[in-house]
Short mmCIF file of all heavy atoms in Angstrom, two decimals:
data_model
loop_
_atom_site.label_atom_id
_atom_site.label_comp_id
_atom_site.label_asym_id
_atom_site.label_seq_id
_atom_site.Cartn_x
_atom_site.Cartn_y
_atom_site.Cartn_z
N PHE A 417 -19.36 -12.92 94.30
CA PHE A 417 -18.82 -14.24 94.62
C PHE A 417 -18.83 -14.43 96.13
O PHE A 417 -18.16 -13.69 96.87
CB PHE A 417 -17.39 -14.37 94.08
CG PHE A 417 -16.83 -15.76 94.18
CD1 PHE A 417 -17.03 -16.68 93.17
CD2 PHE A 417 -16.10 -16.15 95.29
CE1 PHE A 417 -16.52 -17.97 93.26
CE2 PHE A 417 -15.58 -17.43 95.40
CZ PHE A 417 -15.80 -18.34 94.38
N ILE A 418 -19.60 -15.41 96.60
CA ILE A 418 -19.76 -15.67 98.03
C ILE A 418 -18.85 -16.82 98.43
O ILE A 418 -18.86 -17.88 97.79
CB ILE A 418 -21.23 -16.02 98.34
CG1 ILE A 418 -22.14 -14.88 97.93
CG2 ILE A 418 -21.40 -16.35 99.82
CD1 ILE A 418 -23.59 -15.26 97.88
N SER A 419 -18.07 -16.62 99.50
CA SER A 419 -17.16 -17.67 99.92
C SER A 419 -16.69 -17.42 101.34
O SER A 419 -16.74 -16.30 101.84
CB SER A 419 -15.96 -17.74 98.98
OG SER A 419 -15.06 -18.77 99.35
N HIS A 420 -16.24 -18.49 101.98
CA HIS A 420 -15.53 -18.36 103.26
C HIS A 420 -14.02 -18.43 103.03
O HIS A 420 -13.24 -18.32 103.97
CB HIS A 420 -15.96 -19.47 104.23
CG HIS A 420 -15.64 -20.84 103.71
ND1 HIS A 420 -16.50 -21.55 102.89
CD2 HIS A 420 -14.55 -21.62 103.87
CE1 HIS A 420 -15.94 -22.71 102.58
NE2 HIS A 420 -14.75 -22.77 103.15
N ASP A 421 -13.61 -18.62 101.77
CA ASP A 421 -12.22 -18.90 101.41
C ASP A 421 -11.59 -17.67 100.76
O ASP A 421 -11.80 -17.39 99.58
CB ASP A 421 -12.18 -20.10 100.47
CG ASP A 421 -10.77 -20.61 100.22
OD1 ASP A 421 -9.82 -19.84 100.40
OD2 ASP A 421 -10.63 -21.78 99.83
N LEU A 422 -10.79 -16.94 101.53
CA LEU A 422 -10.16 -15.73 100.99
C LEU A 422 -9.18 -16.02 99.87
O LEU A 422 -8.97 -15.19 98.98
CB LEU A 422 -9.44 -14.99 102.11
CG LEU A 422 -10.24 -13.93 102.87
CD1 LEU A 422 -9.44 -13.41 104.05
CD2 LEU A 422 -10.63 -12.78 101.95
N ALA A 423 -8.55 -17.20 99.90
CA ALA A 423 -7.60 -17.53 98.85
C ALA A 423 -8.28 -17.62 97.49
O ALA A 423 -7.73 -17.21 96.47
CB ALA A 423 -6.90 -18.85 99.17
N VAL A 424 -9.51 -18.14 97.45
CA VAL A 424 -10.27 -18.21 96.21
C VAL A 424 -10.79 -16.83 95.82
O VAL A 424 -10.73 -16.43 94.66
CB VAL A 424 -11.43 -19.22 96.33
CG1 VAL A 424 -12.32 -19.19 95.09
CG2 VAL A 424 -10.89 -20.64 96.55
N VAL A 425 -11.27 -16.09 96.79
CA VAL A 425 -11.79 -14.74 96.53
C VAL A 425 -10.71 -13.86 95.93
O VAL A 425 -10.96 -13.07 95.02
CB VAL A 425 -12.36 -14.12 97.83
CG1 VAL A 425 -12.63 -12.64 97.65
CG2 VAL A 425 -13.63 -14.86 98.23
N GLU A 426 -9.47 -14.00 96.42
CA GLU A 426 -8.38 -13.18 95.88
C GLU A 426 -8.18 -13.44 94.40
O GLU A 426 -7.84 -12.54 93.63
CB GLU A 426 -7.08 -13.47 96.63
CG GLU A 426 -5.98 -12.49 96.24
CD GLU A 426 -4.60 -13.10 96.33
OE1 GLU A 426 -4.49 -14.33 96.36
OE2 GLU A 426 -3.64 -12.33 96.37
N GLN A 427 -8.40 -14.68 93.98
CA GLN A 427 -8.22 -15.04 92.58
C GLN A 427 -9.23 -14.35 91.67
O GLN A 427 -8.92 -14.02 90.52
CB GLN A 427 -8.39 -16.56 92.41
CG GLN A 427 -7.36 -17.40 93.15
CD GLN A 427 -6.10 -17.56 92.35
OE1 GLN A 427 -6.14 -17.69 91.14
NE2 GLN A 427 -4.97 -17.54 93.01
N LEU A 428 -10.43 -14.11 92.17
CA LEU A 428 -11.54 -13.73 91.30
C LEU A 428 -12.06 -12.30 91.49
O LEU A 428 -12.71 -11.78 90.60
CB LEU A 428 -12.73 -14.69 91.53
CG LEU A 428 -12.55 -16.11 91.00
CD1 LEU A 428 -13.62 -17.02 91.57
CD2 LEU A 428 -12.61 -16.12 89.49
N CYS A 429 -11.79 -11.70 92.64
CA CYS A 429 -12.52 -10.48 92.99
C CYS A 429 -11.62 -9.25 93.07
O CYS A 429 -10.50 -9.32 93.57
CB CYS A 429 -13.24 -10.68 94.32
SG CYS A 429 -14.44 -12.05 94.25
N SER A 430 -12.16 -8.13 92.60
CA SER A 430 -11.44 -6.86 92.68
C SER A 430 -11.85 -6.08 93.93
O SER A 430 -11.12 -5.18 94.35
CB SER A 430 -11.74 -6.02 91.44
OG SER A 430 -13.14 -5.84 91.27
N GLU A 431 -13.00 -6.41 94.52
CA GLU A 431 -13.46 -5.78 95.74
C GLU A 431 -13.86 -6.87 96.73
O GLU A 431 -14.29 -7.96 96.34
CB GLU A 431 -14.66 -4.86 95.48
CG GLU A 431 -14.39 -3.75 94.48
CD GLU A 431 -15.65 -2.96 94.15
OE1 GLU A 431 -16.65 -3.09 94.89
OE2 GLU A 431 -15.63 -2.22 93.16
N ILE A 432 -13.75 -6.57 98.02
CA ILE A 432 -14.09 -7.54 99.06
C ILE A 432 -14.93 -6.86 100.13
O ILE A 432 -14.63 -5.73 100.55
CB ILE A 432 -12.83 -8.14 99.71
CG1 ILE A 432 -12.03 -8.96 98.69
CG2 ILE A 432 -13.19 -9.02 100.92
CD1 ILE A 432 -10.72 -9.53 99.24
N ALA A 433 -15.99 -7.55 100.56
CA ALA A 433 -16.77 -7.14 101.73
C ALA A 433 -16.74 -8.30 102.71
O ALA A 433 -17.06 -9.44 102.35
CB ALA A 433 -18.20 -6.80 101.33
N VAL A 434 -16.35 -8.02 103.95
CA VAL A 434 -16.24 -9.05 104.98
C VAL A 434 -17.46 -8.97 105.89
O VAL A 434 -17.80 -7.91 106.41
CB VAL A 434 -14.95 -8.86 105.81
CG1 VAL A 434 -14.85 -9.96 106.88
CG2 VAL A 434 -13.73 -8.89 104.91
N MET A 435 -18.13 -10.12 106.08
CA MET A 435 -19.34 -10.18 106.90
C MET A 435 -19.09 -10.97 108.18
O MET A 435 -18.38 -11.98 108.18
CB MET A 435 -20.50 -10.80 106.13
CG MET A 435 -21.01 -9.95 105.00
SD MET A 435 -22.61 -10.52 104.34
CE MET A 435 -23.69 -10.17 105.74
N LYS A 436 -19.73 -10.52 109.25
CA LYS A 436 -19.70 -11.23 110.54
C LYS A 436 -20.97 -10.90 111.29
O LYS A 436 -21.36 -9.74 111.40
CB LYS A 436 -18.48 -10.81 111.35
CG LYS A 436 -18.29 -11.62 112.64
CD LYS A 436 -17.02 -11.18 113.38
CE LYS A 436 -16.72 -12.12 114.54
NZ LYS A 436 -17.77 -12.06 115.57
N ASP A 437 -21.65 -11.95 111.77
CA ASP A 437 -22.86 -11.78 112.57
C ASP A 437 -23.89 -10.89 111.89
O ASP A 437 -24.52 -10.03 112.52
CB ASP A 437 -22.51 -11.20 113.95
CG ASP A 437 -21.59 -12.11 114.75
OD1 ASP A 437 -21.67 -13.34 114.56
OD2 ASP A 437 -20.80 -11.60 115.56
N GLY A 438 -24.06 -11.10 110.58
CA GLY A 438 -25.10 -10.38 109.86
C GLY A 438 -24.79 -8.96 109.48
O GLY A 438 -25.68 -8.22 109.04
N ARG A 439 -23.52 -8.55 109.60
CA ARG A 439 -23.14 -7.19 109.25
C ARG A 439 -21.88 -7.20 108.39
O ARG A 439 -21.05 -8.10 108.51
CB ARG A 439 -22.90 -6.35 110.51
CG ARG A 439 -24.15 -6.12 111.34
CD ARG A 439 -23.86 -5.24 112.54
NE ARG A 439 -25.03 -5.01 113.35
CZ ARG A 439 -25.95 -4.06 113.13
NH1 ARG A 439 -25.78 -3.23 112.11
NH2 ARG A 439 -27.00 -3.93 113.90
N VAL A 440 -21.74 -6.18 107.56
CA VAL A 440 -20.49 -5.96 106.83
C VAL A 440 -19.57 -5.16 107.75
O VAL A 440 -19.89 -4.02 108.12
CB VAL A 440 -20.71 -5.21 105.51
CG1 VAL A 440 -19.38 -4.85 104.87
CG2 VAL A 440 -21.55 -6.06 104.55
N ILE A 441 -18.43 -5.76 108.14
CA ILE A 441 -17.54 -5.11 109.09
C ILE A 441 -16.31 -4.50 108.41
O ILE A 441 -15.58 -3.73 109.03
CB ILE A 441 -17.11 -6.08 110.20
CG1 ILE A 441 -16.34 -7.26 109.61
CG2 ILE A 441 -18.30 -6.53 111.01
CD1 ILE A 441 -15.69 -8.13 110.67
N GLU A 442 -16.07 -4.86 107.15
CA GLU A 442 -14.95 -4.27 106.41
C GLU A 442 -15.22 -4.42 104.93
O GLU A 442 -15.77 -5.43 104.49
CB GLU A 442 -13.63 -4.95 106.78
CG GLU A 442 -12.42 -4.32 106.11
CD GLU A 442 -11.12 -4.56 106.86
OE1 GLU A 442 -11.13 -5.35 107.82
OE2 GLU A 442 -10.11 -3.95 106.49
N ARG A 443 -14.82 -3.42 104.17
CA ARG A 443 -15.00 -3.47 102.72
C ARG A 443 -13.96 -2.59 102.05
O ARG A 443 -13.43 -1.66 102.67
CB ARG A 443 -16.41 -3.03 102.31
CG ARG A 443 -16.63 -1.54 102.35
CD ARG A 443 -18.08 -1.19 102.12
NE ARG A 443 -18.86 -1.41 103.33
CZ ARG A 443 -20.17 -1.52 103.36
NH1 ARG A 443 -20.86 -1.45 102.24
NH2 ARG A 443 -20.81 -1.70 104.48
N GLY A 444 -13.69 -2.91 100.78
CA GLY A 444 -12.74 -2.08 100.04
C GLY A 444 -12.15 -2.84 98.88
O GLY A 444 -12.55 -3.98 98.58
N ASP A 445 -11.20 -2.22 98.18
CA ASP A 445 -10.48 -2.89 97.11
C ASP A 445 -9.76 -4.11 97.68
O ASP A 445 -9.32 -4.12 98.83
CB ASP A 445 -9.46 -1.96 96.47
CG ASP A 445 -10.12 -0.83 95.69
OD1 ASP A 445 -11.31 -0.96 95.37
OD2 ASP A 445 -9.44 0.18 95.42
N ARG A 446 -9.62 -5.14 96.85
CA ARG A 446 -9.01 -6.39 97.29
C ARG A 446 -7.66 -6.17 97.96
O ARG A 446 -7.42 -6.65 99.08
CB ARG A 446 -8.84 -7.32 96.09
CG ARG A 446 -8.10 -8.62 96.39
CD ARG A 446 -7.71 -9.33 95.12
NE ARG A 446 -6.84 -8.47 94.31
CZ ARG A 446 -6.65 -8.63 93.00
NH1 ARG A 446 -7.27 -9.59 92.35
NH2 ARG A 446 -5.84 -7.82 92.35
N ASP A 447 -6.78 -5.44 97.30
CA ASP A 447 -5.43 -5.28 97.84
C ASP A 447 -5.44 -4.50 99.15
O ASP A 447 -4.66 -4.80 100.06
CB ASP A 447 -4.53 -4.59 96.82
CG ASP A 447 -4.27 -5.47 95.59
OD1 ASP A 447 -4.49 -6.69 95.69
OD2 ASP A 447 -3.87 -4.92 94.54
N ALA A 448 -6.33 -3.52 99.27
CA ALA A 448 -6.41 -2.74 100.50
C ALA A 448 -6.86 -3.61 101.66
O ALA A 448 -6.31 -3.55 102.77
CB ALA A 448 -7.36 -1.56 100.32
N VAL A 449 -7.88 -4.45 101.41
CA VAL A 449 -8.40 -5.31 102.48
C VAL A 449 -7.38 -6.37 102.86
O VAL A 449 -7.16 -6.65 104.05
CB VAL A 449 -9.73 -5.97 102.04
CG1 VAL A 449 -10.17 -7.02 103.06
CG2 VAL A 449 -10.82 -4.91 101.89
N LEU A 450 -6.74 -6.98 101.87
CA LEU A 450 -5.82 -8.07 102.16
C LEU A 450 -4.47 -7.60 102.68
O LEU A 450 -3.83 -8.29 103.48
CB LEU A 450 -5.62 -8.93 100.90
CG LEU A 450 -6.85 -9.67 100.38
CD1 LEU A 450 -6.51 -10.47 99.14
CD2 LEU A 450 -7.46 -10.57 101.45
#
Side-chain angles (χ1 to χ4, degrees):
F417 189 88
I418 300 166
S419 181
H420 61 273
D421 189 337
L422 269 173
V424 174
V425 168
E426 189 210 18
Q427 297 276 322
L428 289 166
C429 300
S430 55
E431 301 174 15
I432 295 176
V434 180
M435 291 193 68
K436 186 178 189 296
D437 298 330
R439 295 182 180 275
V440 173
I441 61 170
E442 184 156 8
R443 77 188 78 198
D445 291 342
R446 176 193 59 201
D447 293 341
V449 172
L450 295 180

